[in-house]
Amino acid sequence: MFDLDRWREIFQTLGKNKLRTILSGFTIAFAILLFTLLFGIGNGLKHFFEEAFAGDAVNSVYIFSGTTTKPYKGLQSGRNIQFRNDDTKFINEKFEEEIAFFSPNIQRFNVLTVYRGNQNNYTVRGVYPDYLPLESAVIEKGRFLSVMDLKKRAKVVAIGRLVEQDLFGNRSAMGKDISIGGISYKVIGVFSDPGGDRDERFIYTPFTTAQGMYRENDELDYFGLTYNPKLNVDQALQFTSVLTRIFKEKHSVDPRDQGAIRVRNYAEGSKNVQQFILVLNIIILFIGIGTLIAGVIGISNIMVYIVKERTKELGIRKALGATPGSIVSMIMQESIFVTAIAGYVGLMIGVLVLRGIGDSLEKYFIVDPSVETYVVIGATIVLIIAGTIAGYIPAKRAARIKPIVALNDE
């Protein structure tokens, strides 16, 4: 039950011993403040790497062609490898079980796009409907490309959110006709992309439409696909290795040639990031534990000193009829109160510091440094428990001392 007299007594004791109270609170607040800052900066580093891989699905694989650097099977080096439509069929037949989404791509850069008096240059990509999940893009208005658009070679486009903003301002682009490279296309959808501004300035049109407009034959630029999410990282890397080997065989490329066919698997980057974040978490955890241990030692030393200093006071209380249990509970209550208040102050200061310096840390690859409240509350509880134990042991010893001995203590 709430004992008003007990709390009055505690506040009087704290008021009479301001320096002691301030030193105790400072030790606790500083430990929580340092703990908050460390975890906040660690989370900021994690946020940076998460954003760096936000532009594409983590299970994305992209296949690019290049120029051979080694002679092979009687063929000279320096050959340009050109992907064609039959490669699309080849990949889907060979890896039907491993592939979730797939799209060949045709890409043109800096294509002049005009709507009435507004114009700008954008990258235009000819893709399959499956391409949307590869980019982790989200349709905000209308729809994305469809299979029917491919069959009809429809002159339709899905544009990025910033393309709409550039050309249409505050108006909607839906259903409007825009000129792309001098050819009229109808806007059927607007998308957003977690990859940021660059990815929201793309324009997507049906692959068949782009191939008919920008290629004289069945050539294409590159492939994008996502592997089956049931594959773990090691299986995904093995899939990529087999895909690269078989594709090189099809195009008569030396297996050691690294330039002719390049496969970029986001699983490898994701695995490296996960390993880095794991190591980072372990380092921060050890530093955080070290900080808490330092705080625990500081609290313990202060509590031992406080109880020692109050030996005569405790002797007087016992002489006046106070029981050992009431003396111990009073010291415990005082310890818990100071630790909780000081911990909360340290938490608030840490949060405010992180908010104040958050933007300035982006140049150091720290984005949105923050800390989960439950983590800091947990650390504060640890300090409260430590303070309670640290106070209990000397308080229990002092409560056993006979009043006459306590009153004669120097």
Side-chain angles (χ1 to χ4, degrees), residues 88-241:
T88 298
K89 182 178 179 181
F90 175 81
I91 293 175
N92 281 283
E93 288 179 349
K94 287 286 186 179
F95 302 99
E96 182 179 1
E97 297 298 324
E98 290 84 358
I99 293 175
F101 297 99
F102 175 84
S103 175
N105 295 263
I106 291 174
Q107 183 165 262
R108 289 193 67 193
F109 299 99
N110 298 319
V111 181
L112 181 63
T113 304
V114 181
Y115 177 73
R116 296 184 178 177
N118 299 320
Q119 63 181 38
N120 209 334
N121 293 320
Y122 301 103
T123 297
V124 179
R125 287 175 171 172
V127 298
Y128 278 12
D130 273 3
Y131 196 77
L132 189 67
L134 269 74
E135 289 289 324
S136 299
V138 177
I139 291 295
E140 300 289 344
K141 301 175 185 177
R143 64 176 178 85
F144 196 60
L145 311 174
S146 68
V147 175
M148 191 59 67
D149 294 329
L150 288 178
K151 292 180 178 179
K152 291 183 175 181
R153 298 190 176 187
K155 291 185 178 65
V156 295
V157 290
I159 64 176
R161 181 182 60 86
L162 295 183
V163 176
E164 180 185 45
Q165 182 177 308
D166 293 343
L167 299 181
F168 294 88
N170 295 326
R171 294 170 295 175
S172 174
M174 291 301 300
K176 304 294 193 305
D177 292 325
I178 60 177
S179 173
I180 303 177
I183 300 171
S184 180
Y185 291 80
K186 183 179 292 294
V187 178
I188 61 170
V190 178
F191 64 87
S192 60
D193 194 302
D197 290 3
R198 178 178 174 273
D199 288 351
E200 290 186 340
R201 283 197 165 91
F202 286 131
I203 297 176
Y204 293 117
T205 192
F207 173 80
T208 51
T209 304
Q211 193 170 56
M213 292 288 183
Y214 308 130
R215 295 289 186 273
E216 296 181 356
N217 43 41
D218 63 349
E219 295 177 354
L220 57 94
D221 294 330
Y222 67 97
F223 297 102
L225 60 91
T226 61
Y227 56 81
N228 192 321
K230 293 181 180 179
L231 300 180
N232 59 37
V233 173
D234 292 330
Q235 290 172 328
L237 294 176
Q238 183 180 5
F239 157 64
T240 302
S241 177

Side-chain angles (χ1 to χ4, degrees), residues 247-269:
F247 224 51
K248 285 183 176 181
E249 290 177 0
K250 182 179 185 299
H251 288 272
S252 299
V253 173
D254 191 306
R256 298 165 298 173
D257 193 329
Q258 301 299 314
I261 294 177
R262 306 181 307 279
V263 178
R264 185 174 67 190
N265 190 342
Y266 277 76
E268 186 172 4

